[in-house]
Amino acid sequence: MLDSEFNGSSLDPSQWSTGWFGSGITQPVNSSEQECYDPAQVSVANGELDLTAIAKVEDCGGVARAYASGIVTTDGTFSFTYGYMEVRIWLPGSAGIADWPAFWADGRNWPTDGEIDVLEGLGGKACVHFHSPAGGPGLCLNGDFAGGWQTFAADWEPGSVTFYYDGTEVWQDSSGITSAPMYLILNLALDGSPSNTVPATMRVDYVRVWQH
């Protein structure tokens, strides 16, 4: 079980670390992103974790990028196979989700070990996906998901993953479900699309995992 309430004044290093496979300022998750991940853009205060994207040129992965933002992961501190994972997030944006915020679980070997995208803001919409060697099926939902607290959850079981938004089932996948351990990631990326906005903050109230 994992229970992160973010009630302190700093990130709990026994649960979370900053950076994408490295410490300090690190490169983005994939080549479509236009930001470096900077620990300075991660903060904990007032009972929440904040990941903030700003316009700031930084070098990472041998490339100068126009933005800096925040990422946290449980890689090396917490991983699990099967369980119910839930986050309560205030997503950036107004009419739609701004930027590219995400809450997801990932295995160490992609796509062999699988990837569960519980919440991914794409083109202003809230999207779910399950990636595996069998493919990356999913869907995107229209709705008012930005500018207020929302819960996003997924129940990973042998042979299926079921996704819930604010307690309502939105999609289920039963194709190619993997069984290797996964760790958790929260990040706020920028891809240069018209929905990109800076400064912007992804606010996280809690992250909880109940293992089966």
Side-chain angles (χ1 to χ4, degrees), residues 115-150:
E115 173 186 326
I116 301 171
D117 297 329
V118 184
L119 173 280
E120 185 175 11
L122 293 172
K125 298 180 180 181
C127 305
V128 299
H129 299 95
F130 183 83
H131 294 275
S132 75
L139 57 80
C140 295
L141 296 97
N142 289 307
D144 188 12
F145 293 107
W149 291 109
Q150 310 266 357

PDB file of all heavy atoms in Angstrom, residues 115-150:
ATOM      1  N   GLU A 115       2.226  -0.194 -19.427  1.00  0.00           N
ATOM      2  CA  GLU A 115       2.079   1.190 -18.968  1.00  0.00           C
ATOM      3  C   GLU A 115       0.600   1.485 -18.806  1.00  0.00           C
ATOM      4  O   GLU A 115      -0.189   1.244 -19.728  1.00  0.00           O
ATOM      5  CB  GLU A 115       2.695   2.162 -19.977  1.00  0.00           C
ATOM      6  CG  GLU A 115       2.442   3.631 -19.657  1.00  0.00           C
ATOM      7  CD  GLU A 115       2.950   4.554 -20.760  1.00  0.00           C
ATOM      8  OE1 GLU A 115       3.972   4.235 -21.385  1.00  0.00           O
ATOM      9  OE2 GLU A 115       2.296   5.596 -21.006  1.00  0.00           O
ATOM     10  N   ILE A 116       0.210   1.985 -17.647  1.00  0.00           N
ATOM     11  CA  ILE A 116      -1.182   2.327 -17.368  1.00  0.00           C
ATOM     12  C   ILE A 116      -1.292   3.846 -17.264  1.00  0.00           C
ATOM     13  O   ILE A 116      -0.791   4.446 -16.312  1.00  0.00           O
ATOM     14  CB  ILE A 116      -1.687   1.679 -16.058  1.00  0.00           C
ATOM     15  CG1 ILE A 116      -1.562   0.154 -16.125  1.00  0.00           C
ATOM     16  CG2 ILE A 116      -3.143   2.083 -15.785  1.00  0.00           C
ATOM     17  CD1 ILE A 116      -1.842  -0.548 -14.799  1.00  0.00           C
ATOM     18  N   ASP A 117      -1.921   4.468 -18.260  1.00  0.00           N
ATOM     19  CA  ASP A 117      -2.151   5.911 -18.223  1.00  0.00           C
ATOM     20  C   ASP A 117      -3.507   6.162 -17.582  1.00  0.00           C
ATOM     21  O   ASP A 117      -4.548   6.088 -18.238  1.00  0.00           O
ATOM     22  CB  ASP A 117      -2.118   6.501 -19.636  1.00  0.00           C
ATOM     23  CG  ASP A 117      -0.761   6.333 -20.305  1.00  0.00           C
ATOM     24  OD1 ASP A 117       0.245   6.334 -19.581  1.00  0.00           O
ATOM     25  OD2 ASP A 117      -0.718   6.206 -21.545  1.00  0.00           O
ATOM     26  N   VAL A 118      -3.489   6.441 -16.285  1.00  0.00           N
ATOM     27  CA  VAL A 118      -4.738   6.666 -15.550  1.00  0.00           C
ATOM     28  C   VAL A 118      -5.366   7.993 -15.971  1.00  0.00           C
ATOM     29  O   VAL A 118      -6.572   8.106 -16.167  1.00  0.00           O
ATOM     30  CB  VAL A 118      -4.486   6.650 -14.033  1.00  0.00           C
ATOM     31  CG1 VAL A 118      -5.801   6.796 -13.272  1.00  0.00           C
ATOM     32  CG2 VAL A 118      -3.767   5.373 -13.610  1.00  0.00           C
ATOM     33  N   LEU A 119      -4.525   8.995 -16.119  1.00  0.00           N
ATOM     34  CA  LEU A 119      -4.978  10.319 -16.568  1.00  0.00           C
ATOM     35  C   LEU A 119      -3.876  10.936 -17.414  1.00  0.00           C
ATOM     36  O   LEU A 119      -2.742  11.054 -16.961  1.00  0.00           O
ATOM     37  CB  LEU A 119      -5.300  11.209 -15.369  1.00  0.00           C
ATOM     38  CG  LEU A 119      -5.640  12.684 -15.571  1.00  0.00           C
ATOM     39  CD1 LEU A 119      -4.438  13.593 -15.765  1.00  0.00           C
ATOM     40  CD2 LEU A 119      -6.629  12.880 -16.736  1.00  0.00           C
ATOM     41  N   GLU A 120      -4.223  11.298 -18.635  1.00  0.00           N
ATOM     42  CA  GLU A 120      -3.284  11.979 -19.515  1.00  0.00           C
ATOM     43  C   GLU A 120      -4.045  13.080 -20.233  1.00  0.00           C
ATOM     44  O   GLU A 120      -5.012  12.803 -20.955  1.00  0.00           O
ATOM     45  CB  GLU A 120      -2.682  10.985 -20.517  1.00  0.00           C
ATOM     46  CG  GLU A 120      -1.601  11.575 -21.396  1.00  0.00           C
ATOM     47  CD  GLU A 120      -0.945  10.539 -22.302  1.00  0.00           C
ATOM     48  OE1 GLU A 120      -1.467   9.411 -22.404  1.00  0.00           O
ATOM     49  OE2 GLU A 120       0.087  10.862 -22.901  1.00  0.00           O
ATOM     50  N   GLY A 121      -3.644  14.314 -20.008  1.00  0.00           N
ATOM     51  CA  GLY A 121      -4.302  15.430 -20.672  1.00  0.00           C
ATOM     52  C   GLY A 121      -3.749  15.615 -22.071  1.00  0.00           C
ATOM     53  O   GLY A 121      -2.592  15.996 -22.240  1.00  0.00           O
ATOM     54  N   LEU A 122      -4.554  15.321 -23.076  1.00  0.00           N
ATOM     55  CA  LEU A 122      -4.122  15.416 -24.468  1.00  0.00           C
ATOM     56  C   LEU A 122      -5.116  16.271 -25.250  1.00  0.00           C
ATOM     57  O   LEU A 122      -6.309  15.946 -25.298  1.00  0.00           O
ATOM     58  CB  LEU A 122      -4.030  14.033 -25.112  1.00  0.00           C
ATOM     59  CG  LEU A 122      -2.952  13.082 -24.576  1.00  0.00           C
ATOM     60  CD1 LEU A 122      -3.123  11.697 -25.189  1.00  0.00           C
ATOM     61  CD2 LEU A 122      -1.560  13.627 -24.893  1.00  0.00           C
ATOM     62  N   GLY A 123      -4.637  17.350 -25.852  1.00  0.00           N
ATOM     63  CA  GLY A 123      -5.517  18.197 -26.644  1.00  0.00           C
ATOM     64  C   GLY A 123      -6.698  18.739 -25.872  1.00  0.00           C
ATOM     65  O   GLY A 123      -7.776  18.935 -26.430  1.00  0.00           O
ATOM     66  N   GLY A 124      -6.495  18.971 -24.578  1.00  0.00           N
ATOM     67  CA  GLY A 124      -7.556  19.510 -23.737  1.00  0.00           C
ATOM     68  C   GLY A 124      -8.488  18.470 -23.153  1.00  0.00           C
ATOM     69  O   GLY A 124      -9.342  18.799 -22.322  1.00  0.00           O
ATOM     70  N   LYS A 125      -8.329  17.205 -23.565  1.00  0.00           N
ATOM     71  CA  LYS A 125      -9.211  16.139 -23.089  1.00  0.00           C
ATOM     72  C   LYS A 125      -8.494  15.268 -22.060  1.00  0.00           C
ATOM     73  O   LYS A 125      -7.264  15.258 -21.967  1.00  0.00           O
ATOM     74  CB  LYS A 125      -9.671  15.274 -24.265  1.00  0.00           C
ATOM     75  CG  LYS A 125     -10.483  16.031 -25.306  1.00  0.00           C
ATOM     76  CD  LYS A 125     -10.909  15.111 -26.441  1.00  0.00           C
ATOM     77  CE  LYS A 125     -11.710  15.851 -27.495  1.00  0.00           C
ATOM     78  NZ  LYS A 125     -12.144  14.954 -28.595  1.00  0.00           N
ATOM     79  N   ALA A 126      -9.271  14.518 -21.289  1.00  0.00           N
ATOM     80  CA  ALA A 126      -8.739  13.565 -20.314  1.00  0.00           C
ATOM     81  C   ALA A 126      -8.736  12.184 -20.944  1.00  0.00           C
ATOM     82  O   ALA A 126      -9.782  11.691 -21.380  1.00  0.00           O
ATOM     83  CB  ALA A 126      -9.578  13.571 -19.043  1.00  0.00           C
ATOM     84  N   CYS A 127      -7.554  11.544 -20.997  1.00  0.00           N
ATOM     85  CA  CYS A 127      -7.412  10.292 -21.727  1.00  0.00           C
ATOM     86  C   CYS A 127      -6.892   9.171 -20.840  1.00  0.00           C
ATOM     87  O   CYS A 127      -6.155   9.405 -19.878  1.00  0.00           O
ATOM     88  CB  CYS A 127      -6.456  10.477 -22.902  1.00  0.00           C
ATOM     89  SG  CYS A 127      -6.927  11.814 -24.022  1.00  0.00           S
ATOM     90  N   VAL A 128      -7.296   7.949 -21.189  1.00  0.00           N
ATOM     91  CA  VAL A 128      -6.797   6.738 -20.535  1.00  0.00           C
ATOM     92  C   VAL A 128      -6.236   5.815 -21.617  1.00  0.00           C
ATOM     93  O   VAL A 128      -6.732   5.784 -22.742  1.00  0.00           O
ATOM     94  CB  VAL A 128      -7.902   5.998 -19.737  1.00  0.00           C
ATOM     95  CG1 VAL A 128      -8.459   6.883 -18.647  1.00  0.00           C
ATOM     96  CG2 VAL A 128      -9.035   5.530 -20.652  1.00  0.00           C
ATOM     97  N   HIS A 129      -5.179   5.079 -21.262  1.00  0.00           N
ATOM     98  CA  HIS A 129      -4.589   4.119 -22.191  1.00  0.00           C
ATOM     99  C   HIS A 129      -3.953   2.981 -21.403  1.00  0.00           C
ATOM    100  O   HIS A 129      -3.574   3.157 -20.239  1.00  0.00           O
ATOM    101  CB  HIS A 129      -3.492   4.751 -23.065  1.00  0.00           C
ATOM    102  CG  HIS A 129      -3.953   5.865 -23.937  1.00  0.00           C
ATOM    103  ND1 HIS A 129      -3.857   7.189 -23.558  1.00  0.00           N
ATOM    104  CD2 HIS A 129      -4.511   5.854 -25.172  1.00  0.00           C
ATOM    105  CE1 HIS A 129      -4.347   7.951 -24.527  1.00  0.00           C
ATOM    106  NE2 HIS A 129      -4.742   7.177 -25.508  1.00  0.00           N
ATOM    107  N   PHE A 130      -3.828   1.843 -22.061  1.00  0.00           N
ATOM    108  CA  PHE A 130      -2.990   0.766 -21.539  1.00  0.00           C
ATOM    109  C   PHE A 130      -2.039   0.335 -22.646  1.00  0.00           C
ATOM    110  O   PHE A 130      -2.472  -0.139 -23.698  1.00  0.00           O
ATOM    111  CB  PHE A 130      -3.804  -0.438 -21.071  1.00  0.00           C
ATOM    112  CG  PHE A 130      -2.934  -1.516 -20.468  1.00  0.00           C
ATOM    113  CD1 PHE A 130      -2.539  -1.430 -19.148  1.00  0.00           C
ATOM    114  CD2 PHE A 130      -2.455  -2.567 -21.238  1.00  0.00           C
ATOM    115  CE1 PHE A 130      -1.689  -2.381 -18.595  1.00  0.00           C
ATOM    116  CE2 PHE A 130      -1.609  -3.521 -20.697  1.00  0.00           C
ATOM    117  CZ  PHE A 130      -1.229  -3.430 -19.371  1.00  0.00           C
ATOM    118  N   HIS A 131      -0.739   0.531 -22.402  1.00  0.00           N
ATOM    119  CA  HIS A 131       0.278   0.172 -23.392  1.00  0.00           C
ATOM    120  C   HIS A 131       0.917  -1.160 -23.033  1.00  0.00           C
ATOM    121  O   HIS A 131       1.270  -1.401 -21.869  1.00  0.00           O
ATOM    122  CB  HIS A 131       1.371   1.241 -23.448  1.00  0.00           C
ATOM    123  CG  HIS A 131       0.904   2.565 -23.960  1.00  0.00           C
ATOM    124  ND1 HIS A 131       0.836   2.870 -25.295  1.00  0.00           N
ATOM    125  CD2 HIS A 131       0.484   3.670 -23.312  1.00  0.00           C
ATOM    126  CE1 HIS A 131       0.399   4.105 -25.464  1.00  0.00           C
ATOM    127  NE2 HIS A 131       0.177   4.620 -24.263  1.00  0.00           N
ATOM    128  N   SER A 132       1.073  -2.019 -24.039  1.00  0.00           N
ATOM    129  CA  SER A 132       1.741  -3.303 -23.873  1.00  0.00           C
ATOM    130  C   SER A 132       2.237  -3.735 -25.247  1.00  0.00           C
ATOM    131  O   SER A 132       1.992  -3.040 -26.242  1.00  0.00           O
ATOM    132  CB  SER A 132       0.758  -4.349 -23.313  1.00  0.00           C
ATOM    133  OG  SER A 132      -0.134  -4.781 -24.329  1.00  0.00           O
ATOM    134  N   PRO A 133       2.930  -4.858 -25.341  1.00  0.00           N
ATOM    135  CA  PRO A 133       3.325  -5.322 -26.674  1.00  0.00           C
ATOM    136  C   PRO A 133       2.139  -5.541 -27.602  1.00  0.00           C
ATOM    137  O   PRO A 133       2.309  -5.561 -28.827  1.00  0.00           O
ATOM    138  CB  PRO A 133       4.054  -6.635 -26.373  1.00  0.00           C
ATOM    139  CG  PRO A 133       4.607  -6.450 -24.999  1.00  0.00           C
ATOM    140  CD  PRO A 133       3.547  -5.672 -24.271  1.00  0.00           C
ATOM    141  N   ALA A 134       0.925  -5.669 -27.043  1.00  0.00           N
ATOM    142  CA  ALA A 134      -0.273  -5.875 -27.863  1.00  0.00           C
ATOM    143  C   ALA A 134      -0.812  -4.578 -28.446  1.00  0.00           C
ATOM    144  O   ALA A 134      -1.715  -4.598 -29.288  1.00  0.00           O
ATOM    145  CB  ALA A 134      -1.366  -6.565 -27.031  1.00  0.00           C
ATOM    146  N   GLY A 135      -0.272  -3.422 -27.995  1.00  0.00           N
ATOM    147  CA  GLY A 135      -0.748  -2.143 -28.513  1.00  0.00           C
ATOM    148  C   GLY A 135      -0.965  -1.136 -27.398  1.00  0.00           C
ATOM    149  O   GLY A 135      -0.505  -1.330 -26.270  1.00  0.00           O
ATOM    150  N   GLY A 136      -1.689  -0.064 -27.734  1.00  0.00           N
ATOM    151  CA  GLY A 136      -1.939   0.996 -26.759  1.00  0.00           C
ATOM    152  C   GLY A 136      -3.355   1.509 -26.809  1.00  0.00           C
ATOM    153  O   GLY A 136      -3.588   2.704 -27.012  1.00  0.00           O
ATOM    154  N   PRO A 137      -4.353   0.633 -26.633  1.00  0.00           N
ATOM    155  CA  PRO A 137      -5.746   1.079 -26.730  1.00  0.00           C
ATOM    156  C   PRO A 137      -6.124   2.038 -25.607  1.00  0.00           C
ATOM    157  O   PRO A 137      -5.498   2.052 -24.545  1.00  0.00           O
ATOM    158  CB  PRO A 137      -6.545  -0.222 -26.630  1.00  0.00           C
ATOM    159  CG  PRO A 137      -5.654  -1.142 -25.840  1.00  0.00           C
ATOM    160  CD  PRO A 137      -4.254  -0.785 -26.257  1.00  0.00           C
ATOM    161  N   GLY A 138      -7.167   2.807 -25.858  1.00  0.00           N
ATOM    162  CA  GLY A 138      -7.654   3.748 -24.855  1.00  0.00           C
ATOM    163  C   GLY A 138      -8.693   4.654 -25.453  1.00  0.00           C
ATOM    164  O   GLY A 138      -9.187   4.425 -26.566  1.00  0.00           O
ATOM    165  N   LEU A 139      -9.020   5.708 -24.719  1.00  0.00           N
ATOM    166  CA  LEU A 139      -9.983   6.688 -25.219  1.00  0.00           C
ATOM    167  C   LEU A 139      -9.757   8.015 -24.514  1.00  0.00           C
ATOM    168  O   LEU A 139      -9.105   8.085 -23.469  1.00  0.00           O
ATOM    169  CB  LEU A 139     -11.424   6.208 -25.033  1.00  0.00           C
ATOM    170  CG  LEU A 139     -11.935   5.847 -23.630  1.00  0.00           C
ATOM    171  CD1 LEU A 139     -12.312   7.072 -22.818  1.00  0.00           C
ATOM    172  CD2 LEU A 139     -13.149   4.950 -23.737  1.00  0.00           C
ATOM    173  N   CYS A 140     -10.314   9.077 -25.115  1.00  0.00           N
ATOM    174  CA  CYS A 140     -10.247  10.419 -24.547  1.00  0.00           C
ATOM    175  C   CYS A 140     -11.667  10.914 -24.294  1.00  0.00           C
ATOM    176  O   CYS A 140     -12.558  10.693 -25.111  1.00  0.00           O
ATOM    177  CB  CYS A 140      -9.514  11.371 -25.477  1.00  0.00           C
ATOM    178  SG  CYS A 140      -7.757  10.979 -25.713  1.00  0.00           S
ATOM    179  N   LEU A 141     -11.850  11.575 -23.149  1.00  0.00           N
ATOM    180  CA  LEU A 141     -13.179  12.014 -22.750  1.00  0.00           C
ATOM    181  C   LEU A 141     -13.281  13.533 -22.789  1.00  0.00           C
ATOM    182  O   LEU A 141     -12.389  14.240 -22.316  1.00  0.00           O
ATOM    183  CB  LEU A 141     -13.514  11.531 -21.334  1.00  0.00           C
ATOM    184  CG  LEU A 141     -13.602  10.023 -21.123  1.00  0.00           C
ATOM    185  CD1 LEU A 141     -12.298   9.488 -20.578  1.00  0.00           C
ATOM    186  CD2 LEU A 141     -14.744   9.672 -20.204  1.00  0.00           C
ATOM    187  N   ASN A 142     -14.379  14.009 -23.351  1.00  0.00           N
ATOM    188  CA  ASN A 142     -14.720  15.414 -23.216  1.00  0.00           C
ATOM    189  C   ASN A 142     -15.323  15.615 -21.838  1.00  0.00           C
ATOM    190  O   ASN A 142     -15.947  14.719 -21.283  1.00  0.00           O
ATOM    191  CB  ASN A 142     -15.730  15.836 -24.279  1.00  0.00           C
ATOM    192  CG  ASN A 142     -15.111  15.884 -25.661  1.00  0.00           C
ATOM    193  OD1 ASN A 142     -14.094  16.527 -25.866  1.00  0.00           O
ATOM    194  ND2 ASN A 142     -15.729  15.197 -26.610  1.00  0.00           N
ATOM    195  N   GLY A 143     -15.166  16.766 -21.291  1.00  0.00           N
ATOM    196  CA  GLY A 143     -15.750  17.032 -19.981  1.00  0.00           C
ATOM    197  C   GLY A 143     -15.013  18.162 -19.295  1.00  0.00           C
ATOM    198  O   GLY A 143     -13.985  18.641 -19.769  1.00  0.00           O
ATOM    199  N   ASP A 144     -15.548  18.558 -18.163  1.00  0.00           N
ATOM    200  CA  ASP A 144     -14.972  19.661 -17.400  1.00  0.00           C
ATOM    201  C   ASP A 144     -14.029  19.079 -16.358  1.00  0.00           C
ATOM    202  O   ASP A 144     -14.391  18.903 -15.199  1.00  0.00           O
ATOM    203  CB  ASP A 144     -16.093  20.475 -16.751  1.00  0.00           C
ATOM    204  CG  ASP A 144     -15.573  21.742 -16.101  1.00  0.00           C
ATOM    205  OD1 ASP A 144     -14.405  22.085 -16.346  1.00  0.00           O
ATOM    206  OD2 ASP A 144     -16.323  22.374 -15.344  1.00  0.00           O
ATOM    207  N   PHE A 145     -12.812  18.764 -16.787  1.00  0.00           N
ATOM    208  CA  PHE A 145     -11.857  18.106 -15.899  1.00  0.00           C
ATOM    209  C   PHE A 145     -10.819  19.060 -15.322  1.00  0.00           C
ATOM    210  O   PHE A 145      -9.995  18.651 -14.514  1.00  0.00           O
ATOM    211  CB  PHE A 145     -11.147  16.973 -16.641  1.00  0.00           C
ATOM    212  CG  PHE A 145     -12.047  15.830 -17.007  1.00  0.00           C
ATOM    213  CD1 PHE A 145     -12.436  15.635 -18.319  1.00  0.00           C
ATOM    214  CD2 PHE A 145     -12.521  14.966 -16.036  1.00  0.00           C
ATOM    215  CE1 PHE A 145     -13.272  14.578 -18.670  1.00  0.00           C
ATOM    216  CE2 PHE A 145     -13.359  13.898 -16.367  1.00  0.00           C
ATOM    217  CZ  PHE A 145     -13.734  13.716 -17.683  1.00  0.00           C
ATOM    218  N   ALA A 146     -10.816  20.324 -15.734  1.00  0.00           N
ATOM    219  CA  ALA A 146      -9.821  21.283 -15.266  1.00  0.00           C
ATOM    220  C   ALA A 146     -10.458  22.303 -14.324  1.00  0.00           C
ATOM    221  O   ALA A 146     -11.663  22.512 -14.323  1.00  0.00           O
ATOM    222  CB  ALA A 146      -9.173  21.997 -16.444  1.00  0.00           C
ATOM    223  N   GLY A 147      -9.606  22.917 -13.512  1.00  0.00           N
ATOM    224  CA  GLY A 147     -10.069  24.004 -12.664  1.00  0.00           C
ATOM    225  C   GLY A 147     -10.861  23.580 -11.451  1.00  0.00           C
ATOM    226  O   GLY A 147     -11.629  24.368 -10.891  1.00  0.00           O
ATOM    227  N   GLY A 148     -10.690  22.344 -11.000  1.00  0.00           N
ATOM    228  CA  GLY A 148     -11.360  21.862  -9.784  1.00  0.00           C
ATOM    229  C   GLY A 148     -10.792  20.510  -9.392  1.00  0.00           C
ATOM    230  O   GLY A 148     -10.115  19.857 -10.188  1.00  0.00           O
ATOM    231  N   TRP A 149     -11.049  20.079  -8.176  1.00  0.00           N
ATOM    232  CA  TRP A 149     -10.526  18.800  -7.714  1.00  0.00           C
ATOM    233  C   TRP A 149     -11.300  17.648  -8.347  1.00  0.00           C
ATOM    234  O   TRP A 149     -12.526  17.650  -8.350  1.00  0.00           O
ATOM    235  CB  TRP A 149     -10.600  18.702  -6.192  1.00  0.00           C
ATOM    236  CG  TRP A 149      -9.659  19.626  -5.484  1.00  0.00           C
ATOM    237  CD1 TRP A 149      -9.978  20.748  -4.776  1.00  0.00           C
ATOM    238  CD2 TRP A 149      -8.230  19.509  -5.406  1.00  0.00           C
ATOM    239  NE1 TRP A 149      -8.849  21.342  -4.276  1.00  0.00           N
ATOM    240  CE2 TRP A 149      -7.755  20.606  -4.637  1.00  0.00           C
ATOM    241  CE3 TRP A 149      -7.309  18.595  -5.919  1.00  0.00           C
ATOM    242  CZ2 TRP A 149      -6.394  20.801  -4.367  1.00  0.00           C
ATOM    243  CZ3 TRP A 149      -5.955  18.794  -5.653  1.00  0.00           C
ATOM    244  CH2 TRP A 149      -5.518  19.875  -4.886  1.00  0.00           C
ATOM    245  N   GLN A 150     -10.560  16.680  -8.887  1.00  0.00           N
ATOM    246  CA  GLN A 150     -11.150  15.491  -9.515  1.00  0.00           C
ATOM    247  C   GLN A 150     -10.345  14.273  -9.061  1.00  0.00           C
ATOM    248  O   GLN A 150      -9.145  14.378  -8.797  1.00  0.00           O
ATOM    249  CB  GLN A 150     -11.060  15.578 -11.041  1.00  0.00           C
ATOM    250  CG  GLN A 150     -11.543  16.872 -11.647  1.00  0.00           C
ATOM    251  CD  GLN A 150     -12.996  16.832 -12.074  1.00  0.00           C
ATOM    252  OE1 GLN A 150     -13.658  15.802 -11.970  1.00  0.00           O
ATOM    253  NE2 GLN A 150     -13.514  17.950 -12.548  1.00  0.00           N
TER     254      GLN A 150
END
